[in-house]
Every structure is written in C-alpha cells, then in structure tokens.
Amino acid sequence: MLHEILKSSILFKVESGLTLPKGFSINKQAIRKMTRDIEREFAKNPVRVPLETDPSAVSLPTATTINNYNGPVVTVQGDHAQLAWGNQNVEQTQNASEQVAPGYETLAGLLTDILASLPNFQLDSSDEDEVRSNATSVLQEVVKAEPDQGLVRRGITMVKGLLAPVASGLSKAATDETAETAREVIEALGQSLPF
C-alpha cells in the first residue's frame, strides 16, 4: 500500500512537469524494502484511531423482546384472528363482509360454491390445493374497487384447467355425475366473467 503511495507521488511529479535530476533513477527494490519495513512496524504497533459517530444519522428499528416462560407459544398473523385455549365452551363470532365489485357477483358466488364442494371433484391433493389457491386469489381480487382483469382471467383459466380432466372423465376418480358437474362449472365460470 505504501509502495503504491510512493509510486503515485513520483509519477505525479513526473506527469506534472517536474523533471527528475540527471542521474536520478527510482530504486524500486529499495521502495519495496522500505514498504515491507513500515508495514512490519505497523503490524507490531497498530495505529488506533478513535471514531465518533453521529447517532442522529442512523435510524434503527425498535427492538422486540420475546420472553418464553416454558409455555406454549402461539404466533398469529393476519387480520381478524381468533384464538381459544384451555376453555370448556367457546363461542366466537366474526362479522366481516366485503363488497364484491359490480359485475363480479356471479363469479364470486360460483367460486365460493366451488370451494365449498371441492372434495366432491375428487382431485388429487396438489390439484385441489391449486384450485383452492387460485379461487381464493380471484375472490380476493374481486372485492377490490377495480379488480385486475388479467389476474381474474388467469385465475379462472387455472381453475377451469384443473377441473378439465374431471369434466372429460380422464380422472381415475371421476364418476359420470362429477364429470357432468365439472363441465357445468367450467361453462358457468366462462359465462360469469363480466368482461
């Protein structure tokens, strides 16, 4: 590092128009030795520089302390959560309703019915989870003031695609009744889009 500093200061003198006297040459080996000696001395006696900081320039989040006293720990995330623990009789009620955007009422009702009767389609667990996930995301979208039509269309297409093997009778667990129901649901989903 010191070697680079010395080298750059000499180059500065040369580049800035200062000329070296005649017969003067840079002894690179001596500079390297001097650099090693200085670095060795700094290693033996490190330089300590006190630092002062300005705490007003740093904003840290407030610390959170969690105390666990050898008991059950319950973490709840989300809105409208309800918990009951160690009670004999529990009655919890929640009155939360959201307004469906105009034109999407039929679609929301149909998706709610699909979610309620999802086990009747006898899908495998991963397909059932996908139908549930896509239907839920569409329902969350249609309660917004202006639903994203692209998101709604993609979600409905996924639900229809996951129900298609049941509708065509390709699913091993599909009966004639579930195939007919799936066909009706797919057709109703296509017709329920307001755009």
Side-chain angles (χ1 to χ4, degrees), residues 6 10-11 25 31-32 42 51 64 109 118 133 142 147 158 174 183 193-194:
L6 292 172
I10 291 171
L11 286 175
S25 65
I31 291 174
R32 279 192 297 270
F42 277 129
L51 296 177
T64 303
L118 199 53
S133 171
V142 298
M158 284 296 295
R183 280 192 291 276
L193 291 174

Side-chain angles (χ1 to χ4, degrees), residues 99-105 142 144-145 147 194:
Q99 185 66 35
V100 176
Y104 291 90
E105 297 88 355
V142 298
K144 294 181 179 176

Side-chain angles (χ1 to χ4, degrees), residues 6-48:
L6 292 172
K7 185 177 176 183
S8 64
S9 75
I10 291 171
L11 286 175
F12 172 74
K13 289 179 183 175
V14 170
E15 290 174 355
S16 64
L18 298 173
T19 56
L20 297 173
K22 284 196 175 214
F24 180 82
S25 65
I26 298 172
N27 186 345
K28 293 180 181 179
Q29 186 177 3
I31 291 174
R32 279 192 297 270
K33 182 183 180 314
M34 183 175 64
T35 303
R36 281 192 306 271
D37 291 343
I38 291 173
E39 286 175 354
R40 194 175 305 120
E41 193 62 33
F42 277 129
K44 289 179 192 174
N45 304 307
V47 176
R48 302 210 188 282

